[in-house]
Amino acid sequence: MNQAQAPSQEQVERAILVGVDTGDEVWPLEDSLAELERLAETDGVEVVAKTSQRIEERNPRTLIGKGKVEELVRLSGHYNADVVIFDEELTPSQQNNLEGELGKSVRVIDRTALILDIFALHATTREGRLQVQLAQNQYLYPRLRGMWAHLEANRMGGGVGSRFGEGESQLEVDRRLVRKRIDRIRRELKKVSQNRQTQRKGRSESGIFRVSLAGYTNAGKSSLLNALTGADVESFDKLFATLESTTRRLELPKGYILTLTDTVGFIQKLPHTLVEAFQSTLEEIVESDLILEVVDASNKRYAAQMQAVGEVLGEIGAERIPTLQVFNKVDLLDDDDLEHLRRLYPDAIYVSAETGEGLDGLLERLETFLEENNPSRRVLIPYAQGRLVELAHERASIIEERYTEDGTYLELRARPEVLAAFEPYAVEEVAARRSGRAR
């Protein structure tokens, strides 16, 4: 890489990426490193070099072998690197030892720290910031360097991997103090999350069908939400562009109403601390009636991405929820590639949020699923039971409504638990009672 570049007003950090091939990875090393480079670029870092090593066993001291460490020392000096980023998670001792080998001017971080740093940049709401702070402190806890050691934020000089503490210049790293900080953040997060829980409870009690968009980061979930609902959720062609979930109302062609929720994107090797910290956000998925798994059809690693998404859904307990795979960005495929996908996944839906292709088919599939899981009933409600008519409008989809001599006739569709309140007034039940009285 040419180093004779005019310095920018704000110096861009220079990074060396390190991949490790243990032979048991789902992702080829080259693809995983390419994604790590994309993550680094998302974090505003310039990647100046990449290197990798095939190892039989992880070196407990430095993860990689002695020769590769020496190569890193030479590379960091040659490229004047500021940071070395490992694609594998480092133990605290490995990180310390590597920094000792590379010298004080070079920071060493791993993929987890990089992802946490990106989340710190992109968190905009109070809940999002608290979730990131919690994950950061959980990550830092085992990395404390002594009973009264402190994060060397001043030595680190800011930059990638150092945005821990949300703006504080120095974070006390004594174990007891960090535990107290984690407990405090959890208490604050619980308070902030109560509003989200109240909103979810309201949607649940309303009887409205709930659909969540889940998928790998940058699969186009926000774009699909916008295309279906006319929302104006920001969407960018970069990883983790949005972190906070967004819910919008969607009316289907037949008049059925549902809610559509966009959620944080997943990624391979998603840090467990993030999964735990974002539990309240991910509960949007767990409490859904249907998950739309959005897949980037144009990405050659779509199958591995789907596996990564499946692992996270399993980790949060969402594997029991019906899932419909939606392959997005089909406008970027040629006819042969699209036909190949259709053969592999015949039950999936193929759309382009960008062009609108396939969206009508997706809406039809949503209607079919809703009808299959929300039975319809014909009821005759006496005028004295007007509250039930209000309940029908609040918690059911009204197919037909008319006023008769004996009461309000409704054909409605709703969840079985909602319909239970209307069973005494089902047309068949009313007719049977009248027939019995006539006899």
Side-chain angles (χ1 to χ4, degrees):
M1 179 171 292
N2 183 11
Q3 293 187 1
Q5 298 175 353
S8 61
Q9 191 171 6
E10 182 178 341
Q11 188 64 41
V12 176
E13 287 193 291
R14 302 164 66 81
I16 297 172
L17 308 185
V18 183
V20 176
D21 183 3
T22 61
D24 58 357
E25 287 82 5
V26 175
W27 289 59
L29 179 62
E30 181 182 351
D31 290 345
S32 190
L33 270 177
E35 183 175 85
L36 186 67
E37 182 173 12
R38 187 95 189 276
L39 286 167
E41 291 170 348
T42 298
D43 207 37
V45 176
E46 177 189 2
V47 175
V48 295
K50 291 186 285 187
T51 186
S52 61
Q53 184 178 39
R54 175 68 187 270
I55 60 175
E56 298 298 329
E57 293 183 359
R58 291 172 168 81
N59 186 312
R61 186 175 182 277
T62 56
L63 179 64
I64 53 178
K66 180 179 179 181
K68 181 60 67 172
V69 173
E70 293 173 350
E71 178 187 335
L72 274 180
V73 172
R74 292 193 299 271
L75 282 173
S76 63
H78 176 74
Y79 287 104
N80 193 25
D82 302 292
V83 59
V84 173
I85 307 174
F86 278 75
D87 197 33
E88 295 290 319
E89 184 164 330
L90 297 169
T91 66
S93 62
Q94 287 170 343
Q95 183 177 348
N96 290 343
N97 292 333
L98 285 163
E99 287 186 337
E101 295 284 350
L102 289 165
K104 292 184 178 181
S105 63
V106 181
R107 297 188 314 283
V108 176
I109 65 172
D110 57 20
R111 183 187 183 95
T112 296
L114 178 62
I115 293 175
L116 290 174
D117 206 63
I118 293 171
F119 272 53
L121 284 173
H122 292 176
T124 57
T125 66
R126 174 163 173 74
E127 182 181 26
R129 289 192 294 269
L130 285 170
Q131 288 169 327
V132 173
Q133 286 182 46
L134 176 59
Q136 288 176 329
N137 279 273
Q138 289 173 325
Y139 176 81
L140 283 171
Y141 182 75
R143 289 164 171 78
L144 306 181
R145 299 170 182 168
M147 185 61 69
W148 290 98
H150 294 273
L151 276 182
E152 298 175 41
N154 292 333
R155 175 186 70 79
M156 295 168 77
V160 58
S162 64
R163 274 179 281 266
F164 292 86
E166 287 297 310
E168 294 179 329
S169 61
Q170 193 173 46
L171 172 67
E172 298 161 321
V173 294
D174 172 77
R175 288 184 178 273
R176 180 178 58 82
L177 294 179
V178 173
R179 281 199 302 267
K180 289 176 66 176
R181 176 178 285 271
I182 289 174
D183 290 341
R184 177 181 59 79
I185 294 172
R186 280 180 168 154
R187 287 195 299 271
E188 291 183 39
L189 189 56
K190 184 176 181 179
K191 292 178 182 177
V192 175
S193 299
Q194 285 176 347
N195 183 49
R196 179 188 297 278
Q197 293 168 358
T198 299
Q199 292 174 341
R200 277 203 307 268
K201 182 179 180 182
R203 290 198 297 269
S204 175
E205 292 179 349
S206 72
I208 295 177
F209 198 74
R210 296 164 295 173
V211 179
S212 286
L213 300 171
Y216 209 79
T217 181
N218 204 44
K221 299 185 303 300
S222 296
S223 297
L224 186 58
L225 178 75
N226 291 340
L228 290 172
T229 67
D232 56 356
V233 177
E234 288 188 342
S235 58
F236 303 96
D237 183 22
K238 62 182 181 181
L239 306 182
F240 300 117
T242 54
L243 300 182
E244 284 76 29
S245 60
T246 303
T247 299
R248 294 291 184 267
R249 180 178 181 272
L250 174 62
E251 182 173 353
L252 300 177
K254 291 184 179 179
Y256 305 139
I257 303 297
L258 56 81
T259 59
L260 194 61
T261 299
D262 181 20
T263 59
V264 62
F266 301 154
I267 197 169
Q268 63 144 339
K269 305 175 186 176
L270 185 68
H272 178 76
T273 51
L274 272 179
V275 175
E276 180 182 344
F278 276 71
Q279 192 66 39
S280 64
T281 301
L282 295 173
E283 282 174 1
E284 295 279 2
I285 300 175
V286 178
E287 297 183 7
S288 299
D289 298 296
L290 174 68
I291 296 173
L292 297 185
E293 181 187 350
V294 184
V295 184
D296 181 356
S298 68
N299 192 300
K300 66 178 182 178
R301 296 296 301 166
Y302 71 85
Q305 291 183 348
M306 292 169 68
Q307 180 175 335
V309 170
E311 290 172 355
V312 178
L313 290 176
E315 187 173 353
I316 65 176
E319 71 278 2
R320 60 179 176 76
I321 300 173
T323 300
L324 173 62
Q325 291 164 338
V326 181
F327 283 84
N328 189 26
K329 306 185 184 181
V330 297
D331 55 305
L332 302 180
L333 300 181
D334 60 34
D335 293 341
D336 290 340
D337 288 339
L338 180 55
E339 184 57 35
H340 177 67
L341 266 182
R342 291 184 184 276
R343 288 197 300 268
L344 289 177
Y345 303 93
D347 295 326
I349 296 291
Y350 298 87
V351 307
S352 168
E354 179 70 22
T355 67
E357 178 183 351
L359 294 184
D360 288 343
L362 174 56
L363 294 175
E364 290 176 5
R365 183 70 73 88
L366 287 173
E367 285 183 330
T368 299
F369 190 90
L370 189 147
E371 289 175 347
E372 290 174 349
N373 291 272
N374 286 256
S376 63
R377 288 288 186 277
R378 296 180 301 133
V379 298
L380 184 62
I381 300 175
Y383 289 117
Q385 298 292 331
R387 180 66 188 93
L388 278 178
V389 177
E390 294 179 14
L391 179 65
H393 282 276
E394 291 171 359
R395 305 188 61 183
S397 294
I398 307 300
I399 302 171
E400 182 182 355
E401 179 178 9
R402 66 174 185 266
Y403 301 103
T404 72
E405 182 179 337
D406 299 312
T408 304
Y409 170 85
L410 294 173
E411 184 177 356
L412 50 85
R413 187 178 296 278
R415 301 171 185 269
E417 59 268 27
V418 174
L419 289 180
F422 297 91
E423 288 300 332
Y425 305 102
V427 169
E428 297 82 359
E429 181 68 23
V430 172
R433 287 200 299 269
R434 287 177 175 174
S435 176
R437 286 199 299 268
R439 289 196 298 270

